Each structure stands twice: as C-alpha cells, then as structure tokens.
Amino acid sequence: MALRLTARRQSVLHMMPYFRWSALLLFLLLALFQPLHTSAQTTALKTNALYWATTTMNIDAETRFAPRWSGELSIGYNPWSFSDNKKIKHIAIQPEVRYWLCSTYAGHFFGAHLLYSHFNAGGIHMPLGLFPSLKEHRFQGDLGGIGLAYGYNFILSRHWSLELELGLGVIYSNYKKYECRECGSKLGREHKTFFSPTKIAVNMVYYLK
C-alpha cells in the first residue's frame, strides 16, 4: 500500500509542470486575444460531454478577436486507474483558431488546431476500432499533432449554446510499450506517425459576456 501511495504521489508531482504550463497558456490566450469588438458575446467557457464520458476532466476557454475569428484553448486531464490496471491517464492541451462563416459563436465554423498529450494508457477497448493495441498493451509517452476541424454552434439562449465539432489530422507519437498487467515487462520503444481524429466534441458552452 505504501509503495502504491508513493507511486501515485510521484505521478502527481510529475504532472505538476504540465498543470503550470496549461494555466499559463490559458492565461495568455485570454490576455493576448482580447476582443476588438464588444457588441456581442466575446468570451466563452465550455466543456466536452464526450470527453467526460471517458472519465476525463476538461475545460475550454474561447475568445473572439475579430468579427469572424476566435481562438480557444482546451485542457483535459485524466488521473484515474481502474481494475486490472486499465487506464487512460493523460493530460492534453489543444489550442485552436476558428473562422466563423456567419458571425462569431453562431452557425458553421472551420478550425485549425495543434495537439499535445503526455499519456499512460492500456487495457482499454476503444470504440470504432480506434487504437486496437490498447486492449492488450500499455503505452506511455508523448504525442503531438495538427488538424483541421468543422463544427456548428446551436444557440440555446443568451448565455448558453450547444456546439458540435469534428477534427481530423496527423499525429506523431513517441512511446514505450509494456505488457498490459501492472508492472508488466517493457517490450520496447516505438514511434509512429498516423492519420487520426484529432477532436470529437459535444460542447456545452457558457458565454461570460
């Protein structure tokens, strides 16, 4: 038990620099992308319901910096381990720039985004046949990606909306591969570049202003 608590404490300490960088990026996004117009909603907070369904805590901040342009930063964090050493532990940071076809925060939009994640995952059966090796092995490492997205924002009220978004792009990952069981043997280090969904979101959006 003591060893397990020590390992968890070390894991939390290992993640602290990522929390600090995430907070700094979120602050810079809100500070640098100050809106040029204040006649409509300019700043929004949101959370992805599909991301929560994977037990991942997440928050997203978006701000308008031109009549049809906005910038956002999303952060996700999953610290949980489950029975049989199943886990999708990770922290993910994803900045995105959006162009709205009609007006900001209404209707259709296109986006371009970056993605970074540090992860420790294994023993998980992913839907739609994504990453089938996760069911039999554990992977620990980092990934980065770039992608394009399309989405639509359904206005519900003055302060609320529902947003759908799908992104596709290219991801590069560098990781260590282990046997899936707890303390499983290391099988080697690998790297891979692949085409993949980079964002799938059903966001509940709250406008601050």
Side-chain angles (χ1 to χ4, degrees):
M1 177 64 71
L3 290 176
R4 181 171 297 179
L5 290 175
T6 301
R8 289 181 178 177
R9 189 178 298 111
Q10 290 176 346
S11 177
V12 171
L13 291 175
H14 177 72
M15 298 305 293
M16 286 303 294
Y18 298 102
F19 281 119
R20 288 195 291 267
W21 279 109
S22 300
L24 178 60
L25 285 171
L26 184 61
F27 173 79
L28 289 175
L29 176 72
L30 295 175
L32 296 178
F33 287 159
Q34 286 300 309
L36 303 179
H37 303 272
T38 58
S39 58
Q41 291 97 335
T42 58
T43 303
L45 294 178
K46 62 185 78 172
T47 191
N48 185 350
L50 294 182
Y51 212 1
W52 280 101
T54 69
T55 70
T56 302
M57 300 175 285
N58 67 93
I59 190 170
D60 189 322
E62 182 176 8
T63 187
R64 184 172 72 120
F65 59 89
R68 294 191 182 185
W69 290 89
S70 65
E72 72 166 22
L73 178 68
S74 61
I75 300 171
Y77 177 58
N78 189 315
W80 319 114
S81 290
F82 304 100
S83 60
D84 299 324
N85 201 33
K86 295 179 180 179
K87 65 184 71 174
I88 47 173
K89 290 184 176 182
H90 70 279
I91 184 167
I93 303 170
Q94 188 169 52
E96 180 173 278
V97 175
R98 292 177 169 181
Y99 175 75
W100 298 79
L101 299 188
C102 182
S103 62
T104 314
Y105 301 130
H108 304 273
F109 65 87
F110 292 96
H113 51 253
L114 301 175
L115 171 64
Y116 167 76
S117 179
H118 176 77
F119 59 88
N120 181 4
I124 301 295
H125 176 68
M126 298 292 287
L128 305 176
L130 295 174
F131 311 117
S133 297
L134 275 176
K135 187 175 181 180
E136 303 297 335
H137 300 93
R138 183 173 67 86
F139 300 88
Q140 184 172 352
D142 300 271
L143 64 81
I146 184 170
L148 299 175
Y150 163 77
Y152 192 92
N153 192 327
F154 299 88
I155 299 174
L156 303 178
S157 68
R158 178 182 177 185
H159 286 286
W160 292 94
S161 70
L162 174 67
E163 180 183 277
L164 308 180
E165 185 178 12
L166 175 64
L168 300 172
V170 177
I171 292 176
Y172 171 79
S173 183
N174 188 354
Y175 53 87
K176 299 174 184 177
K177 184 177 181 179
Y178 297 86
E179 294 180 351
C180 197
R181 65 178 183 272
E182 191 169 357
C183 298
S185 300
K186 180 180 175 181
L187 300 177
R189 177 183 288 273
E190 301 178 0
H191 60 87
K192 184 180 295 186
T193 301
F194 54 96
F195 182 76
S196 170
T198 50
K199 195 170 191 179
I200 304 175
V202 178
N203 289 324
M204 286 302 303
V205 185
Y206 178 74
Y207 299 103
L208 300 179
K209 186 176 179 180

